[in-house]
Structure formats: structure tokens, C-alpha cells
Amino acid sequence: ETGVTQSPTHLIKTRGQQVTLRCSSQSGHNTVSWYQQALGQGPQFIFQYYREEENGRGNFPPRFSGLQFPNYSSELNVNALELDDSALYLCASRSLAGGATGELFFGEGSRLTVL
Amino acid sequence: SQQGEEDPQALSIQEGENATMNCSYKTSINNLQWYRQNSGRGLVHLILIRSNEREKHSGRLRVTLDTSKKSSSLLITASRAADTASYFCATVLTGANSKLTFGKGITLSVRP
């Protein structure tokens, strides 16, 4: 039990649509990051938020965007969905006590299928 | 791009045996972490080793780090069927924004 919850757990969209994925982390976890995990691959870093501002981004296009809210929740938005966006999307938070480079606490993920 | 590369890609052992998994990386790191994932679910943190550490233990887990060879190994002793999962090494690079860079993972099967 990591204390990080994600919704929805599964969803199906069609190409060109938009999707919003949600994450709620523990109190005191002021850093949240999102990862994309394609089938058979390791997670790939999308971006990270600290105190509601993006402070790091991976190699993903601008149609991937996010928000972090003061209540330790966050969102990942993906516009103009493409077939290759089909993946498991993982939210992860990091506690203040763990420091800037400490362990991540992952949610169970949202599995997105784009048809 | 993958910073960490795990080896082997798949490992099948008998319950009670030890499992050794290796990870190599390319650039200077702040720390290296190992995670476990059951059947495409969320990842669970196992152990973190800092760049100035050479070995750490946690229960049945032992991790080593050789910064000169840019490699790490994870040893699971006295494996159990419940250890069946995918294992990933992830690095936090020196001076990076603290993101984790994962390898492709190792699939461990422990036969009862």
C-alpha cells in the first residue's frame, strides 16, 4: 500500500480524442511525477511537478500536459490521442522526508487503450 | 533512451534458490534504485543505494554497486514463488531533476 491512488484503472479511447488521468498522493508528498510504460518496456519519464509547477520533462510532445493541485492530487492530460499512446500510465510521488532523489511511491496505474 | 540495462531479460529458478539480477548504466549517478512490478501493476520500491555506497541489505535482498564498472546487482536469497515478478533498476543521474530512468526490466519466475 503506497498511498497513491489513480483513476480510472482502465479506459478505452479512439484516436484523436483527449483523456484526463487522475492521481491522489499522500499528504506531505509534494513532488509528483508521471511515467508511461508500454507493454514489455520500462517506465518512461513524462514530467514532474513540485509545488504545482512543472520542474522536469521527458521526451514527450506538448500534447502531454499536467497539473498539480494543493491537495496533493494531480492530472495528466493527453490531447489528440495516437495509437502509440496505448500504455500503462503511472503516477508516482516522493515525500519531503525522502529528499529530492529518494524513492518513489507508485500508484497502480491507468491502462489506456487507444483504438 | 534507456539508461539502465538489466541482465538477464528473463530468469527462471526453483523455490529456495538465489536469484541474481544485474544492471548496467551509462553516466554518473546520484543513486540507483530497484523496483518490483507484479503483472503490469504499480511498481514497488525495494532498495536504494547511493553512489558512495558499495553494498546494502534489506531482508532477503542484497544490492551491490560498482561505480567504476557502472553496474549493480540485486540478489534475492532463498527465493519464494511470491517473488515472481518483473524487476527494474532505475537511476537518478547526477545533477538531474531527480527523475528516475528505468531499464527494460527482468522477468523472474520462481517455480514452486
Side-chain angles (χ1 to χ4, degrees), chain B residues 77-90:
Chain B
T77 60
S79 63
R80 305 165 182 167
D83 294 329
T84 295
S86 294
Y87 292 81
F88 294 89
C89 74

Side-chain angles (χ1 to χ4, degrees), chain A residues 2 35 37 40-45 48 55-58 88 90 94 100-104 106-109 111, chain B residues 1-2 30-31 33 35 37 39-45 48 50 88 92-93 97-105:
Chain A
T2 64
Y35 288 79
Q37 186 178 22
Q41 301 293 315
Q44 297 288 313
F45 175 74
Q48 176 174 282
N55 76 337
R57 190 176 184 92
L88 182 67
L90 296 160
R94 181 179 272 130
T101 57
E103 69 178 278
L104 290 180
F106 281 86
E108 292 294 324
R111 184 163 296 283
Chain B
S1 63
Q2 303 287 147
N30 177 290
N31 66 66
Q33 304 178 27
Y35 286 82
Q37 184 177 40
S39 300
R41 300 183 64 187
L43 280 78
V44 175
H45 178 265
L48 179 155
R50 294 183 173 78
F88 294 89
V92 177
L93 303 184
N97 60 5
S98 74
K99 72 173 185 179
L100 262 64
T101 303
F102 287 85
K104 292 186 178 181

